[in-house]
């Protein structure tokens, strides 16, 4: 039995013994060289910044990109125009593609503050903390916080926009507005602003509350400061009595609701985005700008567009950051800012993009005292309560004293 088994396996065992010798005598097979494909960078551009009507902006961006690709043979850059909101917009596309089609994601895109915070929280974009050259951050100063989420850098500020007062000087009063409540009331300046925000505090009231001494808790919710709230509500109570602020402001979700009235001269003062101010000033050079009226003026709400990194590929990340090195240069930001009527985030580029010296002084001050937008969902229950208190006062349903007392002593 044993002999029969040996006879059956002996040839195979002898054959295995010759394998090392055969392997040593065989001619080596050369390993083919793997040539890496040059990176291809895909950028999603928001239509609100460089829409179809802004072909000059797209042409300027393409010119700047060509400066980069000229020094990077083989690297290609694809620009894709995307809606900011709604189905098919940048955020909805990031969410859907990240789970079902990651290959369709861009390497870079531009987001505003609300979306940077949301995208960071949802893990849709890459942290840039300690990953970008320090040169990217030089000159951003206080604007840097626009791209930070929980003290981590996720967005590099690019183009800024401020909410501000825009007004016309009358022949009888040629002195610029100081922006204090007393100044507004003494001059009798009617004011329109977007106070219609659902579920939280409107931007203007938020800035005014902070300027009067209101504060935020560590978790982003508002703290109740009765004195600060009384200051704000007393101003609106008096302004309503003098017919300077109409109850209709609670129906204005944004400046587009009253912009035609301002352009036609029916209003001589309104809270408008700085982008709109720069556009209007082309046909009406006499327009002036100031911070949002407040007990302690000089503050404004800062928002804007930030570059965010989406790709997780090291090669594509390196190429994308190389492109940003060109796009973030002072001369490039200045050129694009003038076309899109926005303020470059870099302080040196900002100075070069402004025509009037008075505007440089204003925006330098606003940048130093900038307030970030109150993100939807943040602010806590008090944000909604402050908004409701304002509505009650501007509608004449409650005095400032009554509205503050109601918040301090809520019904059980």
């Amino acid at each position: 039995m044993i002999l029969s088994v040996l006879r059956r396996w002996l040839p195979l065992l002898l054959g295995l013994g010759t394998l090392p010798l055969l392997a040593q005598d065989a001619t080596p097979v050369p390993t083919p060289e793997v040539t890496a494909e040059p990176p291809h960078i895909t950028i999603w551009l928001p239509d609100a910044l460089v829409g179809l009507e802004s072909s000059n902006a797209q042409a300027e961006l393409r010119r700047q990109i060509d400066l980069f690709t000229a020094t990077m043979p083989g690297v290609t850059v694809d620009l894709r125009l995307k809606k900011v909101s709604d189905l098919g917009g940048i955020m909805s596309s990031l969410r859907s593609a990240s789970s079902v089609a990651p290959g369709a994601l861009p390497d870079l895109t531009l987001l505003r503050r609300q979306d940077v915070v949301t995208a960071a929280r949802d893990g849709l974009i890459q942290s840039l903390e300690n990953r970008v050259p320090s040169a990217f951050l030089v000159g951003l100063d206080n604007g840097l916080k626009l791209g930070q989420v929980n003290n981590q850098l996720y967005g590099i500020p690019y183009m800024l926009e401020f909410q501000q007062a825009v007004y016309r000087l009358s022949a009888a009063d040629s002195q610029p507005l100081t922006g204090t409540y007393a100044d507004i009331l003494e001059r009798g300046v009617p004011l329109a602003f977007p106070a219609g925000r659902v579920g939280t505090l409107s931007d203007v009231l938020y800035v005014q509350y902070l300027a009067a001494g209101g504060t935020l808790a560590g978790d982003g919710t508002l703290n109740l400061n009765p004195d600060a709230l009384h200051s704000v509500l007393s101003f609106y109570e008096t302004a309503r009595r003098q017919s300077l602020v109409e109850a209709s402001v609670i129906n204005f979700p944004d400046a587009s609701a009253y912009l035609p009235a301002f352009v036609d001269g029916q209003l001589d003062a309104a809270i408008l985005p700085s982008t709109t101010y720069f556009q209007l000033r082309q046909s009406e050079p006499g327009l002036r700008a100031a911070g949002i009226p407040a007990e302690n003026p000089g503050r404004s709400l800062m928002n804007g567009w930030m570059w965010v990194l989406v790709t997780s590929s090291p090669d594509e990340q390196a190429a994308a950051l190389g492109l940003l090195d060109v796009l973030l240069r002072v001369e490039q930001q200045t050129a694009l800012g003038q076309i899109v009527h926005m303020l470059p985030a870099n302080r040196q580029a900002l100075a070069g993009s402004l025509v009037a010296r008075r505007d440089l002084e204003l925006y330098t001050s606003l940048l130093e005292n900038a307030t970030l937008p109150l993100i939807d969902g943040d602010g806590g229950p008090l944000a909604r309560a402050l908004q409701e208190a304002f509505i009650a006062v501007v509608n004449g349903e409650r005095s400032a004293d009554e509205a503050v007392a109601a918040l301090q002593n809520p019904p059980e």
Side-chain angles (χ1 to χ4, degrees), residues 271-319:
I271 301 299
L272 298 173
S274 55
T275 305
T276 304
Y277 165 63
F278 293 130
Q279 292 171 329
L280 294 179
R281 208 181 57 180
Q282 293 182 95
S283 57
E284 193 175 351
L287 287 178
R288 302 293 292 266
I292 291 174
E295 180 177 297
N296 299 298
R299 285 179 178 256
S300 183
L301 191 89
M302 176 177 66
N303 209 325
W305 295 101
M306 284 155 284
W307 285 111
V308 298
L309 189 64
V310 180
T311 181
S312 59
S313 164
D315 290 342
E316 292 178 357
Q317 286 182 354

Side-chain angles (χ1 to χ4, degrees), residues 209 213-217 221-230 382 385-386 403-410:
Y209 181 66
T215 58
L216 287 167
T221 58
L222 281 168
N223 295 317
L224 178 59
N225 183 323
D227 292 336
L229 179 59
H230 190 271
L382 183 60
L386 295 185
V404 173
L407 274 175
Q408 289 181 291
N409 304 289

Side-chain angles (χ1 to χ4, degrees), residues 71-92:
T71 63
M72 301 291 290
V75 176
T76 54
V77 180
D78 182 22
L79 298 179
R80 298 180 186 176
L81 199 64
K82 301 282 286 186
K83 293 186 294 184
V84 173
S85 56
D86 303 326
L87 185 64
I90 290 178
M91 284 300 294
S92 64

